[in-house]
Amino acid sequence: MRTLFLSPRITATGKALAVAAVRRGMRTSTLYDRRVPEDSQGVPGGSLYAGPLFADAVAGDLGLGLLEAPEAWLAGLPLELTSRRIELTTVAEARGLRRPAFVKPPNDKSFPARVYPDGSGLPGPDAVEDDTPVLVSDIVTFTAEYRLFLLDGAVVAGSRYAVGGELDVAPLEEDPCREQILAFAARLDPAALPSAIVVDVGSVDGDWAVIEANAAWASGHYASDEDAVLDVVLRAARPRGEIPARDTGFL
């Protein structure tokens, strides 16, 4: 029997995934701190839904492998897929910026992802180590934003989550742009991403663009079908011995 482990920070997505897991006969278990009980360590068939910091602390004791996109993936996409220039650099280099830019860590939340007027507003070396990787991108305005859950490169669940920068949630199936979004997502190279991943996309000046990639085991589902989302999470966070060769580079 598989077990879905959850962090003590209960979210709407965590609750929805727990219900979906029980519905298919799985067990659920909430970890109340970062010390994993001995009877939960290395449980066969385990999986995890949790934030990056908590997941990083408990995944080893749980015996889980966590899949995420390469740090350079977004910066390596062609301009026709991003609609903006994006560079992967270090926070030390980014502190020298003398122009406004959107700056974010690629795969964690070590500091706030937002528009910085220049590099002087970034956290100093006392807060973030100089060699911390960051993505620096041109500033664009997304008129609508969508979250897509992918398995083997195919979108299995999705949701709109913002319009005009404001929260506006609706299932992808009900959105008039659904077919355009699916066609755009099909242009992404599945070999460049883990077999289970989340990709956010948005519309910019009438074109579609990739916003970012996120780990499925830490992403909110908004109005996506929770059963399909659970399928992606179970693939993205599973026992290390179950990770196929094609995914080992994304651990």
Side-chain angles (χ1 to χ4, degrees), residues 8-57:
R9 182 176 176 269
I10 303 300
T11 65
T13 297
K15 292 179 181 178
L17 293 179
V19 170
V22 170
R23 193 161 53 229
R24 66 176 67 179
M26 293 178 59
R27 289 185 297 225
T28 64
S29 177
T30 300
L31 301 172
Y32 290 101
D33 59 41
R34 300 184 183 190
R35 296 185 299 274
V36 178
E38 289 188 9
D39 60 359
S40 295
Q41 295 184 15
V43 170
S47 189
L48 175 69
Y49 180 78
L53 293 178
F54 190 86
D56 189 48

Side-chain angles (χ1 to χ4, degrees), residues 226-248:
E226 60 266 25
D227 287 295
V229 170
L230 180 59
D231 288 335
V232 183
V233 171
L234 294 178
R235 179 90 70 88
R238 55 179 163 165
R240 293 186 70 92
E242 295 181 10
I243 304 293
R246 70 88 68 204
D247 276 333
T248 55

